[in-house]
Amino acid sequence: MKSRTKLQKMKKFIPLYLMMVPSLLYLIINNYLPMFGLVIAFKNVNFKKGILGSDWAGFQNFKYLFATQDAWVITRNTLLYNIAFILVHTFLAICLAIILSELTAQKSKRFYQSVTLLPYLISMVIVSYLVNAFLSSDTGFLNNSVLPLLGIEPVSWLSLIHI
């Protein structure tokens, strides 16, 4: 009797389980599959044999790395950069929070909060599509809507950007 009620409860939540599948796939693909690459650190990689076919090296690669003089410099620089970035970002975040808390106009406070948080919430792929849609020389909003109103010839905006 109890197993039948459990089965009925599980059937009731099937739509929720189906909604959970894409998130679980995303989690597995982006968080767990890359861990497979950790095996490379413990192998003498021969690309003819492939990663799994290569000979096992154990900690020999780490012994070789830490036997060089550069290993400690690399480790020190990594730690110092991380500490510096954590301190600077924390300080700047606290300063920004204090500045935003001092704003009295609710509309401007919401606007500035949105402007500062949106880059963390929007995928850079979406941002690149939006930039392309806005600045494209053929189909971009700027070249097809704004510049003709001003009597200006279309500009190839994306070729002006130098990284």
Side-chain angles (χ1 to χ4, degrees):
M1 188 71 161
K2 286 185 179 183
S3 63
R4 185 171 234 169
T5 58
K6 279 188 178 183
L7 188 61
Q8 287 175 343
K9 284 183 181 180
M10 285 185 68
K11 283 184 179 178
K12 178 178 161 184
F13 293 113
I14 285 177
L16 296 176
Y17 293 136
L18 289 175
M19 288 171 52
M20 192 172 62
V21 168
S23 298
L24 286 176
L25 285 173
Y26 177 82
L27 181 77
I28 290 168
I29 290 170
N30 287 318
N31 294 352
Y32 289 108
L33 282 180
M35 293 173 111
F36 174 72
L38 294 175
V39 162
I40 296 173
F42 299 98
K43 294 218 172 202
N44 285 329
V45 178
N46 182 351
F47 291 107
K48 287 184 180 179
K49 294 180 181 179
I51 294 171
L52 294 177
S54 297
D55 298 330
W56 186 259
F59 287 104
Q60 294 301 319
N61 292 336
F62 292 98
K63 286 180 185 175
Y64 173 75
L65 173 69
F66 288 109
T68 64
Q69 294 175 346
D70 294 336
W72 297 112
V73 174
I74 294 167
T75 305
R76 182 201 65 202
N77 288 349
T78 302
L79 290 174
L80 290 177
Y81 275 126
N82 282 316
I83 289 169
F85 283 127
I86 289 170
L87 292 176
V88 168
H89 286 144
T90 302
F91 175 74
L92 291 176
I94 291 171
C95 289
L96 181 65
I98 291 170
I99 291 169
L100 287 175
S101 71
E102 293 297 321
L103 289 175
T104 55
Q106 288 297 321
K107 286 187 178 183
S108 62
K109 183 185 272 189
R110 287 184 195 149
F111 172 76
Y112 289 122
Q113 284 175 341
S114 298
V115 166
T116 55
L117 291 176
L118 275 178
Y120 297 102
L121 301 174
I122 296 177
S123 167
M124 285 300 117
V125 174
I126 294 172
V127 171
S128 66
Y129 278 122
L130 291 174
V131 168
N132 189 35
F134 191 73
L135 298 177
S136 175
S137 58
D138 299 332
T139 59
F141 173 76
L142 201 57
N143 280 333
N144 290 329
S145 299
V146 177
L147 294 182
L149 292 175
L150 300 173
I152 301 173
E153 291 293 319
V155 178
S156 180
W157 298 103
L158 297 177
S159 67
L160 298 175
I161 300 173
H162 297 288
I163 297 175

